[in-house]
Amino acid sequence: MQHLDWVRFAIFSPDGRYVASGGDDKVVRIWDAKTGDPVQTLEGHTGFVCCGAYSSDGMRLVSGSWDNTLRLWDTSNGLPIGEAKTGHERRVSAVTFSPDDLLIASSSSDKTIRLWDGLTGMSMGQPMTGHEVPVSTVEFSPDGKLLASGGWDCVVRLWDAQTGCSVRAPLEEHASVIISIIFSPDGNHLFSAGRNGAIHCWNTSSFTSVGNPLVGHRGRIDSITISPDGKRIISGGRDSSIRMWDCQDFLSDVDFTSMSCGIRTVEKLPAQIPNDGWIRTVSDELLLWVPSEYRGAVCDITKHCISREEDKRSVRIVWDKICRGEDWTSIFVS
């Protein structure tokens, strides 16, 4: 199963019989998922094809490209449905069908999100604006009422899928560009991942973060997906690894307000670790000494992670296991 250049996405059809993929050879290719044999080649894009999505019945496929367009395809014959869908002013970064297949949402480097008719591909309404930088990803909630988007401004935004209006203030826990987002199958949680290698969880009723971010990738996460039962998350990163996570890991949170050292989640420490290596509490008490090789890192106590982009390493601080006393060496683990 080979393209002539980089492959940028690969997805199963809803019935699992086919795989659709797209890449820098500017075509969408359909393969038999059992044998790997080529089935169709969908031609029309003039730029890299970077994203795609099937309708729930598998009869339509939408693709997005660096040529600033979307294309809608009839999978029964491999023919385009109408002309290229124009409206975005820069490359398309993500496309997705609504659960009822009546809408398509797309995100773009032009800082907008657009809605399209899921049957004809015709543009619907005005572009959604709010992100101040390129938008990387967009996703419908399972009930089709919400749209979630993430971008280079390091925030998750939520939109009313019918009106295109923002439904609340942006979620701002991320410390880096957001690359991928996905809802849990029941719609109760939203997961987001980004360039710093952390996965965050959000409660979609209270719109608050849940637990600690999951840290393990050494560098950017390009893609996340969730199992149909909602119990496992799979992530793929530029550290050449695929990781599996238990969603219960998000729930192992720590009550910071009860700690005697006085850390409060509503306040953050300085963005950089001081030159002397000491992390201090909000009342300026000494809390934790960081060895010199980790001091070139961003330190945000509310995210429970010290990351170091230079060598793609990260250190997670497990606050409920931290020791206090004179023998500081007993708590240092490389």
Side-chain angles (χ1 to χ4, degrees), residues 3-261:
H3 280 263
L4 303 178
D5 210 326
W6 286 10
V7 178
R8 293 186 179 266
F9 79 90
I11 53 174
F12 277 102
S13 61
D15 61 9
R17 294 177 58 193
Y18 303 103
V19 173
S21 57
D24 290 7
D25 55 6
K26 304 177 184 178
V27 298
V28 178
R29 299 182 185 272
I30 310 297
W31 316 85
D32 186 301
K34 187 174 182 179
T35 66
D37 294 333
V39 177
Q40 295 170 337
T41 300
L42 312 183
E43 298 179 298
H45 283 296
T46 59
F48 300 162
V49 185
C50 59
C51 52
Y54 273 103
S55 60
S56 61
D57 60 7
M59 297 305 296
R60 280 159 290 147
L61 176 72
V62 63
S63 55
S65 170
W66 284 25
D67 62 12
N68 305 349
T69 72
L70 285 73
R71 285 187 175 267
L72 192 59
W73 310 90
D74 184 333
T75 58
S76 66
N77 54 29
L79 296 177
I81 300 174
E83 300 297 323
K85 317 310 174 187
T86 60
H88 283 299
E89 297 177 359
R90 297 187 65 186
R91 66 182 62 165
V92 177
S93 56
V95 291
T96 183
F97 274 95
S98 62
D100 60 9
D101 295 334
L102 296 180
L103 293 173
I104 295 169
S106 61
S107 60
S108 170
S109 294
D110 65 7
K111 310 176 188 179
T112 70
I113 298 149
R114 284 183 172 267
L115 291 175
W116 315 80
D117 187 293
L119 298 175
T120 66
M122 296 294 292
S123 178
M124 299 183 65
Q126 297 299 312
M128 303 179 202
T129 58
H131 287 283
E132 299 176 355
V133 291
V135 187
S136 306
T137 180
V138 65
E139 185 77 15
F140 279 99
S141 62
D143 62 9
K145 294 181 179 180
L146 288 177
L147 267 175
S149 61
W152 292 20
D153 50 5
C154 310
V155 301
V156 175
R157 291 184 178 271
L158 292 162
W159 315 83
D160 185 305
Q162 297 301 315
T163 66
C165 297
S166 177
V167 299
R168 60 151 288 117
L171 309 178
E172 300 180 328
E173 287 291 322
H174 268 278
S176 69
V177 173
I178 297 171
I179 305 297
S180 183
I181 55 177
I182 192 168
F183 282 90
S184 61
D186 60 12
N188 293 331
H189 295 94
L190 174 68
F191 304 95
S192 54
R195 186 168 288 174
N196 68 345
I199 303 173
H200 289 255
C201 178
W202 313 88
N203 183 298
T204 54
S205 296
S206 61
F207 299 111
T208 56
S209 60
V210 176
N212 302 323
L214 303 181
V215 178
H217 283 286
R218 294 183 303 233
R220 167 174 166 164
I221 296 174
D222 274 329
S223 178
I224 56 172
T225 191
I226 192 166
S227 61
D229 61 8
K231 294 182 179 180
R232 297 286 188 273
I233 292 175
I234 300 292
S235 57
R238 295 204 177 181
D239 57 1
S240 304
S241 73
I242 296 172
R243 290 180 177 266
M244 180 181 291
W245 311 87
D246 188 327
C247 288
Q248 291 298 313
D249 290 344
F250 284 107
L251 305 180
S252 59
D253 202 6
V254 181
D255 182 4
F256 287 84
T257 60
S258 66
M259 295 181 65
S260 60
C261 61

Side-chain angles (χ1 to χ4, degrees), residues 270-282:
Q272 297 294 325
I273 297 175
N275 290 333
D276 63 5
W278 279 102
I279 298 176
R280 293 171 170 80
T281 70
V282 291

